[in-house]
Amino acid sequence: MLVVGLLVVAAAGSGVWWWGMVDDADGPVDCSALLSNVKIKDALGAGYQKGMSCSELGTALQTAAGGKGTEGHTAAQVRAMREILQGTDDALTNSGQKSIDPSLRLPLAELIADYAPDTYEIFKGLDARYVEHASDDRPWSDAAGVHMAVWDDTLIRVTRAVAASPNAYARVRDAQTRQSARILTRIPHPARGVTLTLPPVGNSVALGVLDAIAHDVSQSSSAGAGKKWRSDVIEALKQSAPNPPPSYESDPVGYIRGNWAAQLDAADTAAESKGFTEQGVRLLDIWAKGRADGFKASESLRADCRNSQYDRYSDVVHALSKKP
């Protein structure tokens, strides 16, 4: 009920792993559709060159928006990122296709991951400020810095477009896992009420979006290709996580992320892998154990996380079932 209420408030207010990727029957959007888009040209500015290759375009997009782990972004970079997402969404919508050229998947996934604090909030949909500023022509800022806001359906469609490549999807999921872990580690000790419950429930809502994207990618291909895609995603997530996990005291985010990845089973290629669909609960339990102060999440909170992740998943699955 808490999540539903907050959603109402919010609504008011380059090494690519080619193996394992899947594509929709009608094929991906090619690079020319992006090169001809006015928003993409504007985002690239002086970096735009007529006739540039797909790989050159991917590099230019990252340069314009400041990808690959930039700590904080300038207003110009945030504006470019917003136009890149909107321009890519335009190309997808105009073509009626769901995926994008393989050469662009990892560069765009790295950008989405690089903006994890913002993309997490957009996926979660509980911060009314991101809704209020989704139509702004300019980036908005507060004490924490400059922020990027777009409508959640735009971000979801672009993330779905890059997810056909397992390494690209894993890159986004790992970034959202890191951000979810950061959110948990910021909960004060002791905490009660909304201060305790909202962060893990919010994590679950955001992660439900990625569950839906994984479902849609898997359903777009044969059963065998879908299983291979999931296996490759899990393997990529396990390889990128710290192993063995660090101690909670030395690196709480790494502890949560590493222990979650260690629970993943590459053989779990079911359409709805529990390693994904129960991630919100698993992160909560790992965090509670890492605190080492006897805290244990209540069954009601665990149920709220599980149900919130499933509800968001269901909504996004329905939205993605429609053509752009």
Side-chain angles (χ1 to χ4, degrees):
M1 292 178 66
L2 172 64
V3 172
V4 172
L6 285 171
L7 281 168
V8 171
V9 172
S14 93
V16 178
W17 290 7
W18 302 106
W19 44 273
M21 68 182 182
V22 295
D23 276 307
D24 304 296
D26 53 1
V29 171
D30 60 36
C31 298
S32 62
L34 269 68
L35 281 169
S36 62
N37 184 274
V38 174
K39 293 174 184 175
I40 297 294
K41 291 181 179 179
D42 189 47
L44 295 183
Y48 174 82
Q49 298 293 329
K50 186 177 180 180
M52 62 199 315
S53 68
C54 285
S55 60
E56 290 171 338
L57 175 57
T59 299
L61 293 172
Q62 289 187 316
T63 299
K68 294 192 175 179
T70 303
E71 290 295 331
H73 300 93
T74 66
Q77 289 171 332
V78 171
R79 182 175 179 274
M81 180 60 177
R82 185 172 180 273
E83 293 190 325
I84 288 168
L85 290 174
Q86 292 179 331
T88 303
D89 188 34
D90 287 345
L92 292 165
T93 302
N94 292 337
S95 69
Q97 297 171 359
K98 286 188 173 183
S99 60
I100 199 163
D101 187 277
S103 297
L104 295 177
R105 291 172 189 167
L106 189 57
L108 284 172
E110 288 179 337
L111 281 174
I112 294 169
D114 188 49
Y115 281 79
D118 291 324
T119 54
Y120 167 92
E121 294 296 342
I122 296 168
F123 283 144
K124 188 174 70 172
L126 301 181
D127 189 331
R129 296 174 299 173
Y130 280 85
V131 176
E132 293 169 1
H133 294 286
S135 298
D136 291 356
D137 292 332
R138 297 181 180 182
W140 62 282
S141 61
D142 58 18
V146 186
H147 300 280
M148 188 277 300
V150 293
W151 294 111
D152 65 341
D153 55 353
T154 290
L155 179 60
I156 289 169
R157 282 192 292 265
V158 175
T159 304
R160 164 62 179 87
V162 307
S165 293
N167 201 34
Y169 176 85
R171 183 73 182 87
V172 175
R173 186 119 200 177
D174 182 50
Q176 295 299 313
T177 299
R178 290 173 186 255
Q179 185 63 17
S180 296
R182 292 188 193 102
I183 297 296
L184 290 173
T185 61
R186 294 170 187 167
I187 299 175
H189 300 178
R192 296 182 178 84
V194 175
T195 303
L196 172 62
T197 61
L198 185 55
V201 170
N203 285 348
S204 299
V205 174
L207 294 167
V209 174
L210 299 182
D211 293 343
I213 290 171
H215 171 87
D216 198 70
V217 171
S218 296
Q219 293 301 306
S220 71
S221 60
S222 67
K227 287 183 178 181
K228 182 66 165 63
W229 179 88
R230 285 182 175 274
S231 177
D232 291 347
V233 167
I234 291 173
E235 187 61 30
L237 287 166
K238 291 176 75 69
Q239 288 187 9
S240 64
N243 183 24
S247 67
Y248 187 87
E249 293 74 18
S250 65
D251 181 3
V253 171
Y255 170 89
I256 296 171
R257 175 171 162 251
N259 277 286
W260 171 70
Q263 295 177 5
L264 295 175
D265 182 358
D268 182 8
T269 56
E272 314 306 334
S273 168
K274 287 189 176 181
F276 290 167
T277 61
E278 295 187 354
Q279 186 177 6
V281 176
R282 293 188 181 192
L283 295 181
L284 172 64
D285 290 342
I286 293 168
W287 167 73
K289 183 178 180 180
R291 286 174 42 148
D293 60 358
F295 171 80
K296 185 177 181 180
S298 67
E299 285 304 316
S300 63
L301 176 54
R302 298 177 80 250
D304 285 345
C305 289
R306 186 177 291 107
N307 293 337
S308 297
Q309 186 163 343
Y310 178 79
D311 288 346
R312 181 64 163 149
Y313 154 84
S314 298
D315 289 343
V316 177
V317 164
H318 177 71
L320 288 174
S321 68
K322 304 173 182 178
K323 279 285 187 179

